[in-house]
Amino acid sequence: MKPASLKHAIHPLAGTLALLIIASFWLATVAAEIWGSAATVTLVKTAIPWGFLLLVPALAATGGSGMALAQGVRSGLAARKRRRMAIIALNGMLVLIPSALFLAARAGAGRFDTGFVLVQAIELVAGAVNLTLLCLNLRDGIRMARGRVA
């Protein structure tokens, strides 16, 4: 497989994997909060940081292959995807990862207090933002792959 075709294969696979992992974190959190017990919430919140072991490499592969594919492109869909990825990365590093670690620690200690609820709300909003932006990037990536670059 040629390097160019390898990038074309890695990017959508890694991006889809990252999107599915993030969606599973978000959906598991909502389901646990709505229908689960404290033990279920604890299980979900303490498992999410372990999911970073798969998510971080998937995001790195997505970002690296995306940059390689868009090398030299400064406008259109590629530029929009790049701007969204900057927001996604900042949101993840500044809000989502710290929130997940905080919530895992609190849930592990059985502390479902006001701080937990507030950070959980922030995490769900930030996660929804990232999911939306990732879905927009997926849509635009499909358009680019079909040759409808705008």
Side-chain angles (χ1 to χ4, degrees):
M1 187 176 269
K2 291 188 217 174
S5 61
L6 186 60
K7 287 182 275 190
H8 283 93
I10 289 173
H11 187 70
L13 292 174
T16 301
L17 178 61
L19 177 61
L20 291 173
I21 292 167
I22 293 168
S24 71
F25 290 172
W26 198 89
L27 291 170
T29 295
V30 170
E33 290 291 344
I34 293 172
W35 296 296
S37 64
T40 303
V41 172
T42 298
L43 177 67
V44 168
K45 298 318 297 180
T46 57
I48 287 174
W50 289 103
F52 295 161
L53 296 174
L54 186 57
L55 176 60
V56 170
L59 287 171
T62 303
S65 60
M67 282 191 232
L69 287 169
Q71 189 174 9
V73 179
R74 301 280 178 236
S75 62
L77 293 176
R80 281 189 238 157
K81 287 180 66 160
R82 189 179 299 113
R83 284 191 300 272
R84 286 187 203 120
M85 283 309 300
I87 295 166
I88 291 164
L90 283 172
N91 192 14
M93 289 186 298
L94 299 177
V95 179
L96 292 169
I97 290 175
S99 294
L101 296 174
F102 173 87
L103 293 167
R106 286 286 175 103
R111 292 186 59 196
F112 300 104
D113 55 8
T114 304
F116 181 92
V117 172
L118 179 62
V119 172
Q120 181 68 81
I122 292 167
E123 183 189 50
L124 286 170
V125 170
V129 167
N130 270 13
L131 282 170
T132 300
L133 295 174
L134 286 166
C135 286
L136 290 171
N137 275 3
L138 176 64
R139 179 203 64 195
D140 288 347
I142 291 168
R143 287 178 178 167
M144 291 170 73
R146 288 184 181 156
R148 290 188 271 165
V149 178

